Amino acid sequence: MTVSAPDTPLASLPAFGTATLPAQIHEYLEEAIIQGDIAPGSRLRADELAAHYGVSRIPVREALRSLQEAGWVEIRPRSGVYVREHSEVELRELFEARAVIEAELASLAARRRDDSDLTLFGQAIERARSAASAGDALELGRASVAFNAAIRSAAGNSVLAAVSLSLEKRARFYFSMIADRFGSDWVHVEEQLAAHIANQSSAAAAECQREHVLATGAAVQRLLEERA
């Protein structure tokens, strides 16, 4: 499959602060890959992307190189640039690692949260409820990202937060495939987890998050097996 350019023109891309043009293109293409808008195995053509965005090929090529460094595309000599494929091995290892990291963050959040953190949890859960009711898988995924960000903030550990954020991007590349199947289930888990954190039940929060991450990974694994 060849992808000439995402449908969204550069002028309508979300603002990324003071990010350079290559960084903006990187961010947009990365998100499109994570969400599945650009399918695994697709070929990306620098000249067509440049024409679509109305820019030279230089920033596009820089963006593609940085996407390769981040592990989202593979640049094959004399062949082209291709979006990475899903991997059952990476999936297993990724969710095993996330189960450990996210459980520890949930435990820390339960011990350190304050009223402002609880407000953020409530806002993210309400957003998720609305998305689940509307059957909006994309918005549900965004609400989940906001909920996880609230946990990282409440945990108060910048090192774990950075690791978690990096792994979350890689995980979204997989669980975006099943987001439409688990809307109400995800909301229910987030409600339980928020309650454990509010009650400062660190062990219960850790176990709830660990089970949720592993269950999500298992669901994606089953889907990959079905497709195979």
Side-chain angles (χ1 to χ4, degrees), residues 10 13-14 16-31 44 49-50 53-70 72:
L10 187 61
L13 295 184
F16 296 107
T18 59
T20 63
L21 185 55
Q24 291 184 56
I25 297 172
H26 172 116
E27 291 285 344
Y28 178 63
L29 291 176
E30 178 183 71
E31 186 63 19
L44 300 177
L49 287 168
Y53 289 145
V55 299
S56 74
R57 285 178 290 181
I58 295 175
V60 173
R61 286 172 174 168
E62 288 183 25
L64 293 176
R65 282 195 295 269
S66 65
L67 285 168
Q68 181 187 38
E69 292 171 0
W72 294 116

Side-chain angles (χ1 to χ4, degrees), residues 179-192:
D180 59 337
R181 302 187 182 191
F182 294 92
S184 59
D185 291 342
W186 280 6
V187 175
H188 180 61
V189 170
E190 289 179 356
E191 289 171 339
Q192 285 185 316

Side-chain angles (χ1 to χ4, degrees), residues 139-221:
E139 176 61 15
L140 182 64
R142 290 170 176 162
S144 178
V145 168
F147 185 83
N148 290 338
I151 292 178
R152 287 191 288 267
S153 177
N157 186 305
S158 61
V159 175
L160 284 176
V163 175
S164 170
L165 184 59
S166 175
L167 294 180
E168 181 183 63
K169 282 187 177 183
R170 292 170 61 188
R172 287 174 56 215
F173 178 62
Y174 288 92
F175 70 59
S176 62
M177 299 189 301
I178 62 165
D180 59 337
R181 302 187 182 191
F182 294 92
S184 59
D185 291 342
W186 280 6
V187 175
H188 180 61
V189 170
E190 289 179 356
E191 289 171 339
Q192 285 185 316
L193 182 52
H196 291 318
I197 291 174
N199 294 330
Q200 295 189 303
S201 302
S202 60
E207 183 61 16
C208 180
Q209 185 70 310
R210 187 186 74 83
E211 290 181 355
H212 173 54
V213 171
L214 291 177
T216 301
V220 178
Q221 181 71 40

Side-chain angles (χ1 to χ4, degrees), residues 25-183:
I25 297 172
H26 172 116
E27 291 285 344
Y28 178 63
L29 291 176
E30 178 183 71
E31 186 63 19
I33 291 169
I34 289 172
Q35 289 291 343
D37 297 329
I38 301 177
S42 299
R43 183 178 182 183
L44 300 177
R45 297 181 181 276
D47 54 348
E48 294 178 359
L49 287 168
H52 178 78
Y53 289 145
V55 299
S56 74
R57 285 178 290 181
I58 295 175
V60 173
R61 286 172 174 168
E62 288 183 25
L64 293 176
R65 282 195 295 269
S66 65
L67 285 168
Q68 181 187 38
E69 292 171 0
W72 294 116
V73 304
E74 178 186 0
I75 299 177
R76 303 173 188 170
R78 297 180 298 280
S79 179
V81 181
Y82 294 85
V83 176
R84 63 169 304 169
E85 300 278 2
H86 291 126
S87 162
E88 291 188 17
V89 173
E90 182 191 44
L91 172 65
R92 184 189 71 251
E93 295 177 348
L94 174 59
F95 279 86
E96 286 175 351
R98 286 198 80 225
V100 175
I101 298 297
E102 300 305 325
E104 181 60 21
L105 283 169
S107 176
L108 290 173
R111 283 179 267 165
R112 297 173 178 174
R113 96 291 182 278
D114 58 25
D115 290 344
S116 64
D117 295 316
L118 299 183
T119 297
L120 292 176
F121 291 137
Q123 292 172 345
I125 290 172
E126 186 55 40
R127 182 178 178 182
R129 288 195 192 109
S130 297
S133 297
D136 188 338
L138 179 59
E139 176 61 15
L140 182 64
R142 290 170 176 162
S144 178
V145 168
F147 185 83
N148 290 338
I151 292 178
R152 287 191 288 267
S153 177
N157 186 305
S158 61
V159 175
L160 284 176
V163 175
S164 170
L165 184 59
S166 175
L167 294 180
E168 181 183 63
K169 282 187 177 183
R170 292 170 61 188
R172 287 174 56 215
F173 178 62
Y174 288 92
F175 70 59
S176 62
M177 299 189 301
I178 62 165
D180 59 337
R181 302 187 182 191
F182 294 92

